[in-house]
Amino acid sequence: MSRTAVAPFLINKDEEGQFRVTVRETRYNSQGYPLVTATLQEETFKTATAARAHCKEQFGAETGQFAIK
């Protein structure tokens, strides 16, 4: 298992072509291994840019905290 932290926000495209955001929280156990909890958000967006803007507004996301799949 990798010890590198994952980006807190994952933006991916669903089957209908809409973009969805998954918010990921990383915690570490007593041995220092990451434990990631992922929560898919209800909102859908037409573009990845709109999804990014939503994360910045709602969650206080910063540049470099996004992963796109």
Side-chain angles (χ1 to χ4, degrees):
M1 175 175 273
S2 174
R3 290 185 185 218
T4 58
V6 297
F9 303 98
L10 173 65
I11 300 172
N12 58 350
K13 200 174 200 180
D14 65 11
E15 304 84 36
E16 291 88 33
Q18 297 290 320
F19 287 89
R20 307 242 359 229
V21 175
T22 302
V23 178
R24 303 186 287 192
E25 178 185 350
T26 303
R27 298 178 295 121
Y28 294 91
N29 69 7
S30 60
Q31 280 89 36
Y33 286 98
L35 303 171
V36 179
T37 304
T39 307
L40 182 63
Q41 301 299 302
E42 294 286 327
E43 299 90 353
T44 59
F45 305 94
K46 291 187 179 195
T47 65
T49 303
R52 241 187 231 111
H54 174 75
C55 289
K56 288 180 180 181
E57 181 180 310
Q58 293 296 316
F59 302 109
E62 298 176 1
T63 303
Q65 292 185 325
F66 298 98
I68 297 179
K69 187 174 183 183

Short mmCIF file of all heavy atoms in Angstrom, two decimals:
data_model
loop_
_atom_site.label_atom_id
_atom_site.label_comp_id
_atom_site.label_asym_id
_atom_site.label_seq_id
_atom_site.Cartn_x
_atom_site.Cartn_y
_atom_site.Cartn_z
N MET A 1 0.84 -1.18 0.00
CA MET A 1 0.00 0.00 0.00
C MET A 1 0.89 1.24 0.00
O MET A 1 1.88 1.31 0.71
CB MET A 1 -0.90 -0.02 1.23
CG MET A 1 -1.72 1.25 1.35
SD MET A 1 -2.89 1.19 2.70
CE MET A 1 -4.24 0.44 1.83
N SER A 2 0.52 2.21 -0.74
CA SER A 2 1.28 3.45 -0.85
C SER A 2 1.03 4.35 0.35
O SER A 2 -0.07 4.43 0.87
CB SER A 2 0.87 4.18 -2.13
OG SER A 2 1.48 5.44 -2.18
N ARG A 3 2.07 5.04 0.78
CA ARG A 3 1.92 5.97 1.91
C ARG A 3 1.71 7.40 1.44
O ARG A 3 1.64 8.31 2.26
CB ARG A 3 3.16 5.90 2.79
CG ARG A 3 3.25 4.60 3.54
CD ARG A 3 4.41 4.63 4.47
NE ARG A 3 4.55 3.33 5.09
CZ ARG A 3 4.89 3.13 6.34
NH1 ARG A 3 5.17 4.15 7.10
NH2 ARG A 3 4.99 1.94 6.81
N THR A 4 1.60 7.64 0.16
CA THR A 4 1.37 9.00 -0.33
C THR A 4 -0.11 9.34 -0.21
O THR A 4 -0.98 8.51 -0.47
CB THR A 4 1.80 9.15 -1.81
OG1 THR A 4 1.08 8.21 -2.60
CG2 THR A 4 3.30 8.91 -1.96
N ALA A 5 -0.38 10.56 0.18
CA ALA A 5 -1.76 11.02 0.34
C ALA A 5 -2.41 11.23 -1.02
O ALA A 5 -1.76 11.62 -1.98
CB ALA A 5 -1.79 12.31 1.14
N VAL A 6 -3.71 10.95 -1.09
CA VAL A 6 -4.45 11.17 -2.33
C VAL A 6 -4.99 12.59 -2.36
O VAL A 6 -5.14 13.23 -1.32
CB VAL A 6 -5.62 10.16 -2.47
CG1 VAL A 6 -5.10 8.74 -2.56
CG2 VAL A 6 -6.59 10.29 -1.33
N ALA A 7 -5.28 13.08 -3.55
CA ALA A 7 -5.87 14.42 -3.68
C ALA A 7 -7.25 14.41 -3.03
O ALA A 7 -8.01 13.45 -3.19
CB ALA A 7 -5.99 14.80 -5.15
N PRO A 8 -7.58 15.45 -2.27
CA PRO A 8 -8.86 15.45 -1.54
C PRO A 8 -10.11 15.53 -2.42
O PRO A 8 -11.19 15.21 -1.96
CB PRO A 8 -8.78 16.68 -0.64
CG PRO A 8 -7.48 17.31 -0.86
CD PRO A 8 -6.76 16.58 -1.93
N PHE A 9 -9.96 15.94 -3.67
CA PHE A 9 -11.12 16.06 -4.55
C PHE A 9 -10.88 15.32 -5.85
O PHE A 9 -9.92 15.60 -6.56
CB PHE A 9 -11.42 17.54 -4.84
CG PHE A 9 -11.64 18.34 -3.59
CD1 PHE A 9 -10.63 19.09 -3.04
CD2 PHE A 9 -12.87 18.30 -2.95
CE1 PHE A 9 -10.82 19.82 -1.88
CE2 PHE A 9 -13.07 19.02 -1.78
CZ PHE A 9 -12.05 19.78 -1.25
N LEU A 10 -11.74 14.35 -6.15
CA LEU A 10 -11.67 13.59 -7.39
C LEU A 10 -12.83 14.01 -8.28
O LEU A 10 -13.99 13.97 -7.85
CB LEU A 10 -11.75 12.09 -7.12
CG LEU A 10 -11.85 11.19 -8.33
CD1 LEU A 10 -10.57 11.27 -9.16
CD2 LEU A 10 -12.13 9.76 -7.93
N ILE A 11 -12.51 14.43 -9.49
CA ILE A 11 -13.54 14.82 -10.46
C ILE A 11 -13.54 13.76 -11.56
O ILE A 11 -12.50 13.51 -12.18
CB ILE A 11 -13.25 16.21 -11.06
CG1 ILE A 11 -13.23 17.26 -9.94
CG2 ILE A 11 -14.28 16.57 -12.13
CD1 ILE A 11 -12.78 18.63 -10.38
N ASN A 12 -14.67 13.11 -11.77
CA ASN A 12 -14.75 12.11 -12.83
C ASN A 12 -16.03 12.26 -13.62
O ASN A 12 -17.00 12.85 -13.17
CB ASN A 12 -14.59 10.69 -12.26
CG ASN A 12 -15.62 10.36 -11.22
OD1 ASN A 12 -16.35 11.21 -10.75
ND2 ASN A 12 -15.67 9.10 -10.84
N LYS A 13 -16.01 11.71 -14.83
CA LYS A 13 -17.13 11.81 -15.75
C LYS A 13 -17.96 10.54 -15.65
O LYS A 13 -17.43 9.44 -15.69
CB LYS A 13 -16.59 11.97 -17.17
CG LYS A 13 -17.53 12.54 -18.16
CD LYS A 13 -16.82 12.79 -19.48
CE LYS A 13 -17.56 13.78 -20.31
NZ LYS A 13 -16.88 14.03 -21.58
N ASP A 14 -19.29 10.69 -15.50
CA ASP A 14 -20.15 9.51 -15.40
C ASP A 14 -20.61 9.05 -16.78
O ASP A 14 -20.21 9.60 -17.80
CB ASP A 14 -21.31 9.76 -14.44
CG ASP A 14 -22.28 10.82 -14.92
OD1 ASP A 14 -22.20 11.24 -16.09
OD2 ASP A 14 -23.13 11.24 -14.11
N GLU A 15 -21.47 8.04 -16.80
CA GLU A 15 -21.94 7.45 -18.06
C GLU A 15 -22.73 8.42 -18.93
O GLU A 15 -22.74 8.31 -20.16
CB GLU A 15 -22.83 6.22 -17.79
CG GLU A 15 -22.21 5.14 -16.95
CD GLU A 15 -22.34 5.43 -15.46
OE1 GLU A 15 -23.36 5.99 -15.01
OE2 GLU A 15 -21.38 5.11 -14.74
N GLU A 16 -23.40 9.38 -18.32
CA GLU A 16 -24.21 10.35 -19.07
C GLU A 16 -23.40 11.54 -19.56
O GLU A 16 -23.95 12.45 -20.19
CB GLU A 16 -25.38 10.86 -18.21
CG GLU A 16 -26.45 9.83 -17.92
CD GLU A 16 -26.14 9.03 -16.67
OE1 GLU A 16 -25.55 9.59 -15.73
OE2 GLU A 16 -26.47 7.84 -16.64
N GLY A 17 -22.11 11.58 -19.23
CA GLY A 17 -21.27 12.70 -19.67
C GLY A 17 -21.22 13.85 -18.68
O GLY A 17 -20.62 14.88 -18.96
N GLN A 18 -21.85 13.70 -17.53
CA GLN A 18 -21.83 14.72 -16.49
C GLN A 18 -20.62 14.50 -15.59
O GLN A 18 -20.16 13.38 -15.42
CB GLN A 18 -23.11 14.65 -15.64
CG GLN A 18 -24.37 14.92 -16.41
CD GLN A 18 -24.48 16.38 -16.81
OE1 GLN A 18 -24.15 17.27 -16.04
NE2 GLN A 18 -24.95 16.63 -18.01
N PHE A 19 -20.12 15.57 -15.00
CA PHE A 19 -18.98 15.47 -14.09
C PHE A 19 -19.49 15.41 -12.66
O PHE A 19 -20.43 16.12 -12.30
CB PHE A 19 -18.05 16.67 -14.28
CG PHE A 19 -17.27 16.60 -15.55
CD1 PHE A 19 -17.79 17.14 -16.72
CD2 PHE A 19 -16.04 15.99 -15.61
CE1 PHE A 19 -17.09 17.07 -17.91
CE2 PHE A 19 -15.33 15.91 -16.80
CZ PHE A 19 -15.86 16.46 -17.95
N ARG A 20 -18.87 14.54 -11.85
CA ARG A 20 -19.24 14.38 -10.44
C ARG A 20 -18.00 14.55 -9.59
O ARG A 20 -16.89 14.27 -10.02
CB ARG A 20 -19.83 12.99 -10.20
CG ARG A 20 -20.96 12.68 -11.14
CD ARG A 20 -22.31 12.43 -10.65
NE ARG A 20 -22.66 12.43 -9.29
CZ ARG A 20 -23.36 11.46 -8.73
NH1 ARG A 20 -23.69 10.39 -9.42
NH2 ARG A 20 -23.71 11.56 -7.47
N VAL A 21 -18.21 14.96 -8.36
CA VAL A 21 -17.10 15.21 -7.43
C VAL A 21 -17.16 14.18 -6.30
O VAL A 21 -18.23 13.93 -5.73
CB VAL A 21 -17.19 16.62 -6.83
CG1 VAL A 21 -16.11 16.84 -5.78
CG2 VAL A 21 -17.07 17.67 -7.92
N THR A 22 -16.02 13.60 -5.99
CA THR A 22 -15.87 12.74 -4.83
C THR A 22 -14.93 13.43 -3.86
O THR A 22 -13.81 13.80 -4.23
CB THR A 22 -15.30 11.36 -5.21
OG1 THR A 22 -16.17 10.76 -6.17
CG2 THR A 22 -15.18 10.46 -4.01
N VAL A 23 -15.40 13.64 -2.64
CA VAL A 23 -14.57 14.27 -1.61
C VAL A 23 -13.92 13.14 -0.81
O VAL A 23 -14.59 12.24 -0.32
CB VAL A 23 -15.43 15.16 -0.67
CG1 VAL A 23 -14.57 15.76 0.43
CG2 VAL A 23 -16.11 16.26 -1.48
N ARG A 24 -12.57 13.20 -0.73
CA ARG A 24 -11.83 12.15 -0.04
C ARG A 24 -11.12 12.71 1.19
O ARG A 24 -10.50 13.77 1.12
CB ARG A 24 -10.81 11.52 -0.99
CG ARG A 24 -11.47 10.97 -2.24
CD ARG A 24 -10.55 10.24 -3.12
NE ARG A 24 -9.63 11.11 -3.83
CZ ARG A 24 -8.87 10.74 -4.84
NH1 ARG A 24 -8.91 9.49 -5.26
NH2 ARG A 24 -8.06 11.58 -5.42
N GLU A 25 -11.24 11.99 2.29
CA GLU A 25 -10.59 12.38 3.54
C GLU A 25 -9.55 11.32 3.88
O GLU A 25 -9.86 10.13 3.89
CB GLU A 25 -11.62 12.48 4.66
CG GLU A 25 -11.01 12.83 5.99
CD GLU A 25 -12.04 12.80 7.11
OE1 GLU A 25 -13.24 12.68 6.83
OE2 GLU A 25 -11.60 12.88 8.26
N THR A 26 -8.33 11.74 4.14
CA THR A 26 -7.26 10.81 4.47
C THR A 26 -6.90 10.94 5.94
O THR A 26 -6.63 12.03 6.43
CB THR A 26 -6.00 11.11 3.61
OG1 THR A 26 -6.36 11.04 2.23
CG2 THR A 26 -4.91 10.11 3.90
N ARG A 27 -6.93 9.80 6.63
CA ARG A 27 -6.46 9.72 8.01
C ARG A 27 -5.34 8.68 8.02
O ARG A 27 -5.19 7.91 7.08
CB ARG A 27 -7.59 9.23 8.94
CG ARG A 27 -8.77 10.14 8.99
CD ARG A 27 -9.89 9.59 9.88
NE ARG A 27 -10.44 8.36 9.31
CZ ARG A 27 -10.46 7.17 9.93
NH1 ARG A 27 -9.98 7.04 11.13
NH2 ARG A 27 -10.98 6.12 9.33
N TYR A 28 -4.57 8.65 9.07
CA TYR A 28 -3.45 7.70 9.16
C TYR A 28 -3.61 6.85 10.41
O TYR A 28 -3.96 7.34 11.47
CB TYR A 28 -2.12 8.46 9.19
CG TYR A 28 -1.86 9.19 7.90
CD1 TYR A 28 -2.28 10.50 7.73
CD2 TYR A 28 -1.25 8.55 6.83
CE1 TYR A 28 -2.08 11.17 6.53
CE2 TYR A 28 -1.04 9.21 5.64
CZ TYR A 28 -1.46 10.52 5.50
OH TYR A 28 -1.26 11.16 4.31
N ASN A 29 -3.34 5.53 10.25
CA ASN A 29 -3.44 4.65 11.41
C ASN A 29 -2.15 4.75 12.24
O ASN A 29 -1.26 5.54 11.93
CB ASN A 29 -3.74 3.21 10.97
CG ASN A 29 -2.60 2.54 10.24
OD1 ASN A 29 -1.50 3.07 10.12
ND2 ASN A 29 -2.87 1.36 9.72
N SER A 30 -2.03 3.93 13.26
CA SER A 30 -0.90 4.03 14.18
C SER A 30 0.44 3.66 13.53
O SER A 30 1.49 4.06 14.02
CB SER A 30 -1.14 3.14 15.41
OG SER A 30 -1.29 1.79 15.01
N GLN A 31 0.41 2.92 12.42
CA GLN A 31 1.64 2.60 11.69
C GLN A 31 1.95 3.59 10.58
O GLN A 31 2.91 3.43 9.85
CB GLN A 31 1.56 1.18 11.08
CG GLN A 31 1.86 0.08 12.07
CD GLN A 31 0.59 -0.37 12.77
OE1 GLN A 31 -0.48 -0.41 12.17
NE2 GLN A 31 0.70 -0.72 14.04
N GLY A 32 1.12 4.59 10.43
CA GLY A 32 1.36 5.62 9.43
C GLY A 32 0.78 5.33 8.05
O GLY A 32 1.05 6.06 7.10
N TYR A 33 -0.04 4.30 7.91
CA TYR A 33 -0.66 4.00 6.63
C TYR A 33 -1.92 4.84 6.44
O TYR A 33 -2.68 5.02 7.38
CB TYR A 33 -1.01 2.51 6.51
CG TYR A 33 0.19 1.64 6.30
CD1 TYR A 33 0.79 0.97 7.35
CD2 TYR A 33 0.74 1.52 5.03
CE1 TYR A 33 1.89 0.18 7.16
CE2 TYR A 33 1.85 0.72 4.82
CZ TYR A 33 2.43 0.06 5.88
OH TYR A 33 3.54 -0.71 5.68
N PRO A 34 -2.15 5.32 5.23
CA PRO A 34 -3.34 6.15 5.00
C PRO A 34 -4.63 5.34 4.94
O PRO A 34 -4.66 4.24 4.39
CB PRO A 34 -3.05 6.80 3.63
CG PRO A 34 -2.11 5.86 2.97
CD PRO A 34 -1.31 5.22 4.05
N LEU A 35 -5.66 5.88 5.55
CA LEU A 35 -7.01 5.32 5.48
C LEU A 35 -7.86 6.38 4.80
O LEU A 35 -8.03 7.49 5.33
CB LEU A 35 -7.55 5.02 6.87
CG LEU A 35 -6.71 4.06 7.72
CD1 LEU A 35 -7.23 4.03 9.14
CD2 LEU A 35 -6.70 2.69 7.11
N VAL A 36 -8.40 6.07 3.62
CA VAL A 36 -9.13 7.05 2.82
C VAL A 36 -10.62 6.77 2.86
O VAL A 36 -11.06 5.66 2.61
CB VAL A 36 -8.62 7.05 1.35
CG1 VAL A 36 -9.39 8.06 0.53
CG2 VAL A 36 -7.14 7.32 1.31
N THR A 37 -11.40 7.81 3.18
CA THR A 37 -12.85 7.75 3.14
C THR A 37 -13.31 8.62 1.98
O THR A 37 -12.96 9.80 1.91
CB THR A 37 -13.46 8.29 4.45
OG1 THR A 37 -12.92 7.55 5.54
CG2 THR A 37 -14.96 8.17 4.44
N ALA A 38 -14.07 8.03 1.04
CA ALA A 38 -14.52 8.76 -0.15
C ALA A 38 -16.04 8.93 -0.10
O ALA A 38 -16.76 7.97 0.17
CB ALA A 38 -14.12 8.02 -1.41
N THR A 39 -16.51 10.16 -0.37
CA THR A 39 -17.94 10.46 -0.38
C THR A 39 -18.30 11.11 -1.71
O THR A 39 -17.85 12.22 -2.00
CB THR A 39 -18.29 11.42 0.78
OG1 THR A 39 -17.80 10.88 2.00
CG2 THR A 39 -19.78 11.63 0.87
N LEU A 40 -19.13 10.43 -2.50
CA LEU A 40 -19.59 10.96 -3.78
C LEU A 40 -20.66 12.01 -3.52
O LEU A 40 -21.63 11.76 -2.80
CB LEU A 40 -20.15 9.85 -4.66
CG LEU A 40 -20.62 10.24 -6.04
CD1 LEU A 40 -19.46 10.76 -6.88
CD2 LEU A 40 -21.27 9.05 -6.73
N GLN A 41 -20.51 13.19 -4.09
CA GLN A 41 -21.46 14.28 -3.91
C GLN A 41 -22.63 14.13 -4.89
O GLN A 41 -22.48 13.57 -5.97
CB GLN A 41 -20.76 15.63 -4.14
CG GLN A 41 -19.59 15.86 -3.21
CD GLN A 41 -20.00 15.88 -1.76
OE1 GLN A 41 -20.84 16.67 -1.36
NE2 GLN A 41 -19.42 15.00 -0.97
N GLU A 42 -23.78 14.62 -4.50
CA GLU A 42 -25.01 14.50 -5.30
C GLU A 42 -25.00 15.36 -6.57
O GLU A 42 -25.58 14.98 -7.57
CB GLU A 42 -26.22 14.93 -4.45
CG GLU A 42 -26.50 14.02 -3.28
CD GLU A 42 -27.10 12.70 -3.71
OE1 GLU A 42 -27.86 12.68 -4.71
OE2 GLU A 42 -26.80 11.70 -3.06
N GLU A 43 -24.36 16.51 -6.52
CA GLU A 43 -24.41 17.47 -7.62
C GLU A 43 -23.70 16.93 -8.86
O GLU A 43 -22.73 16.20 -8.77
CB GLU A 43 -23.75 18.80 -7.23
CG GLU A 43 -24.41 19.50 -6.09
CD GLU A 43 -23.83 19.10 -4.74
OE1 GLU A 43 -23.01 18.18 -4.66
OE2 GLU A 43 -24.23 19.72 -3.75
N THR A 44 -24.22 17.31 -10.03
CA THR A 44 -23.56 17.01 -11.30
C THR A 44 -23.25 18.33 -12.00
O THR A 44 -23.92 19.34 -11.77
CB THR A 44 -24.45 16.13 -12.22
OG1 THR A 44 -25.66 16.82 -12.47
CG2 THR A 44 -24.73 14.79 -11.59
N PHE A 45 -22.22 18.31 -12.85
CA PHE A 45 -21.76 19.53 -13.52
C PHE A 45 -21.53 19.22 -14.99
O PHE A 45 -21.18 18.11 -15.36
CB PHE A 45 -20.46 20.02 -12.88
CG PHE A 45 -20.58 20.23 -11.40
CD1 PHE A 45 -20.23 19.23 -10.51
CD2 PHE A 45 -21.09 21.41 -10.89
CE1 PHE A 45 -20.35 19.40 -9.15
CE2 PHE A 45 -21.22 21.59 -9.52
CZ PHE A 45 -20.85 20.59 -8.65
N LYS A 46 -21.71 20.23 -15.83
CA LYS A 46 -21.52 20.06 -17.27
C LYS A 46 -20.05 20.03 -17.64
O LYS A 46 -19.68 19.42 -18.64
CB LYS A 46 -22.24 21.16 -18.03
CG LYS A 46 -23.74 21.05 -17.94
CD LYS A 46 -24.43 22.03 -18.83
CE LYS A 46 -25.93 21.84 -18.69
NZ LYS A 46 -26.67 22.48 -19.73
N THR A 47 -19.20 20.72 -16.87
CA THR A 47 -17.76 20.76 -17.18
C THR A 47 -16.96 20.51 -15.91
O THR A 47 -17.44 20.71 -14.79
CB THR A 47 -17.34 22.13 -17.75
OG1 THR A 47 -17.53 23.12 -16.75
CG2 THR A 47 -18.14 22.48 -19.00
N ALA A 48 -15.72 20.09 -16.09
CA ALA A 48 -14.81 19.89 -14.97
C ALA A 48 -14.48 21.23 -14.31
O ALA A 48 -14.30 21.30 -13.09
CB ALA A 48 -13.54 19.20 -15.44
N THR A 49 -14.45 22.29 -15.09
CA THR A 49 -14.18 23.62 -14.55
C THR A 49 -15.29 24.04 -13.58
O THR A 49 -15.02 24.62 -12.53
CB THR A 49 -14.04 24.65 -15.68
OG1 THR A 49 -13.01 24.21 -16.58
CG2 THR A 49 -13.70 26.02 -15.16
N ALA A 50 -16.53 23.75 -13.93
CA ALA A 50 -17.65 24.07 -13.05
C ALA A 50 -17.57 23.25 -11.76
O ALA A 50 -17.84 23.77 -10.67
CB ALA A 50 -18.97 23.80 -13.75
N ALA A 51 -17.15 22.00 -11.85
CA ALA A 51 -17.00 21.15 -10.66
C ALA A 51 -15.89 21.70 -9.76
O ALA A 51 -16.03 21.74 -8.54
CB ALA A 51 -16.69 19.72 -11.08
N ARG A 52 -14.79 22.14 -10.38
CA ARG A 52 -13.68 22.73 -9.61
C ARG A 52 -14.13 24.00 -8.89
O ARG A 52 -13.82 24.20 -7.72
CB ARG A 52 -12.54 23.08 -10.57
CG ARG A 52 -11.30 22.34 -10.27
CD ARG A 52 -10.15 22.85 -11.15
NE ARG A 52 -9.54 21.70 -11.75
CZ ARG A 52 -9.58 21.38 -13.02
NH1 ARG A 52 -10.19 22.15 -13.87
NH2 ARG A 52 -9.00 20.28 -13.45
N ALA A 53 -14.86 24.84 -9.59
CA ALA A 53 -15.35 26.09 -9.00
C ALA A 53 -16.27 25.80 -7.82
O ALA A 53 -16.21 26.48 -6.79
CB ALA A 53 -16.07 26.93 -10.06
N HIS A 54 -17.11 24.79 -7.95
CA HIS A 54 -18.01 24.40 -6.86
C HIS A 54 -17.21 23.96 -5.63
O HIS A 54 -17.53 24.34 -4.50
CB HIS A 54 -18.93 23.28 -7.32
CG HIS A 54 -19.78 22.71 -6.24
ND1 HIS A 54 -20.87 23.36 -5.73
CD2 HIS A 54 -19.68 21.56 -5.53
CE1 HIS A 54 -21.42 22.63 -4.78
NE2 HIS A 54 -20.70 21.53 -4.64
N CYS A 55 -16.17 23.17 -5.83
CA CYS A 55 -15.34 22.70 -4.72
C CYS A 55 -14.63 23.86 -4.03
O CYS A 55 -14.53 23.88 -2.80
CB CYS A 55 -14.30 21.70 -5.21
SG CYS A 55 -15.01 20.12 -5.69
N LYS A 56 -14.17 24.82 -4.81
CA LYS A 56 -13.50 25.98 -4.23
C LYS A 56 -14.47 26.79 -3.39
O LYS A 56 -14.13 27.27 -2.31
CB LYS A 56 -12.88 26.84 -5.32
CG LYS A 56 -11.65 26.19 -5.94
CD LYS A 56 -11.05 27.05 -7.02
CE LYS A 56 -9.82 26.38 -7.60
NZ LYS A 56 -9.19 27.20 -8.64
N GLU A 57 -15.71 26.93 -3.87
CA GLU A 57 -16.71 27.72 -3.17
C GLU A 57 -17.26 26.99 -1.94
O GLU A 57 -17.36 27.57 -0.86
CB GLU A 57 -17.86 28.04 -4.13
CG GLU A 57 -18.96 28.87 -3.51
CD GLU A 57 -20.06 29.13 -4.52
OE1 GLU A 57 -19.75 29.57 -5.64
OE2 GLU A 57 -21.23 28.89 -4.16
N GLN A 58 -17.62 25.72 -2.08
CA GLN A 58 -18.28 24.98 -1.01
C GLN A 58 -17.31 24.39 0.03
O GLN A 58 -17.65 24.31 1.21
CB GLN A 58 -19.13 23.84 -1.60
CG GLN A 58 -20.30 24.32 -2.40
CD GLN A 58 -21.29 25.07 -1.54
OE1 GLN A 58 -21.63 24.66 -0.44
NE2 GLN A 58 -21.77 26.19 -2.05
N PHE A 59 -16.14 23.94 -0.42
CA PHE A 59 -15.23 23.22 0.47
C PHE A 59 -13.92 23.95 0.73
O PHE A 59 -13.08 23.45 1.46
CB PHE A 59 -14.92 21.84 -0.11
CG PHE A 59 -16.14 20.99 -0.35
CD1 PHE A 59 -16.57 20.73 -1.63
CD2 PHE A 59 -16.86 20.48 0.72
CE1 PHE A 59 -17.69 19.95 -1.86
CE2 PHE A 59 -17.98 19.71 0.50
CZ PHE A 59 -18.40 19.44 -0.78
N GLY A 60 -13.72 25.10 0.10
CA GLY A 60 -12.48 25.84 0.29
C GLY A 60 -11.28 25.18 -0.36
O GLY A 60 -10.16 25.31 0.12
N ALA A 61 -11.50 24.46 -1.44
CA ALA A 61 -10.42 23.76 -2.14
C ALA A 61 -9.43 24.75 -2.73
O ALA A 61 -9.79 25.88 -3.07
CB ALA A 61 -11.01 22.89 -3.25
N GLU A 62 -8.20 24.30 -2.86
CA GLU A 62 -7.15 25.13 -3.43
C GLU A 62 -6.57 24.43 -4.66
O GLU A 62 -6.74 23.22 -4.83
CB GLU A 62 -6.04 25.34 -2.40
CG GLU A 62 -6.52 26.07 -1.16
CD GLU A 62 -5.45 26.18 -0.10
OE1 GLU A 62 -4.31 25.71 -0.33
OE2 GLU A 62 -5.75 26.72 0.97
N THR A 63 -5.87 25.20 -5.47
CA THR A 63 -5.23 24.65 -6.65
C THR A 63 -4.27 23.53 -6.22
O THR A 63 -3.58 23.65 -5.23
CB THR A 63 -4.43 25.76 -7.37
OG1 THR A 63 -5.33 26.80 -7.68
CG2 THR A 63 -3.80 25.24 -8.65
N GLY A 64 -4.27 22.44 -6.97
CA GLY A 64 -3.39 21.31 -6.66
C GLY A 64 -4.05 20.24 -5.82
O GLY A 64 -3.46 19.21 -5.57
N GLN A 65 -5.28 20.46 -5.38
CA GLN A 65 -5.98 19.48 -4.56
C GLN A 65 -6.97 18.64 -5.37
O GLN A 65 -7.80 17.94 -4.80
CB GLN A 65 -6.75 20.18 -3.42
CG GLN A 65 -5.86 20.80 -2.40
CD GLN A 65 -6.67 21.38 -1.24
OE1 GLN A 65 -7.76 21.89 -1.41
NE2 GLN A 65 -6.09 21.29 -0.07
N PHE A 66 -6.86 18.68 -6.69
CA PHE A 66 -7.81 17.97 -7.55
C PHE A 66 -7.13 16.84 -8.31
O PHE A 66 -5.98 16.96 -8.73
CB PHE A 66 -8.42 18.93 -8.58
CG PHE A 66 -9.20 20.05 -7.96
CD1 PHE A 66 -8.63 21.29 -7.77
CD2 PHE A 66 -10.50 19.86 -7.55
CE1 PHE A 66 -9.34 22.33 -7.18
CE2 PHE A 66 -11.23 20.89 -6.97
CZ PHE A 66 -10.64 22.12 -6.79
N ALA A 67 -7.87 15.77 -8.50
CA ALA A 67 -7.48 14.68 -9.37
C ALA A 67 -8.62 14.50 -10.35
O ALA A 67 -9.79 14.64 -9.98
CB ALA A 67 -7.23 13.41 -8.60
N ILE A 68 -8.30 14.22 -11.61
CA ILE A 68 -9.33 14.03 -12.63
C ILE A 68 -9.19 12.64 -13.19
O ILE A 68 -8.10 12.18 -13.53
CB ILE A 68 -9.23 15.09 -13.75
CG1 ILE A 68 -9.46 16.46 -13.15
CG2 ILE A 68 -10.22 14.80 -14.86
CD1 ILE A 68 -9.36 17.59 -14.13
N LYS A 69 -10.32 11.96 -13.30
CA LYS A 69 -10.32 10.60 -13.80
C LYS A 69 -11.24 10.50 -14.98
O LYS A 69 -12.27 11.07 -15.03
CB LYS A 69 -10.75 9.64 -12.70
CG LYS A 69 -10.64 8.21 -13.06
CD LYS A 69 -10.96 7.39 -11.84
CE LYS A 69 -10.79 5.93 -12.15
NZ LYS A 69 -11.15 5.11 -11.02
#
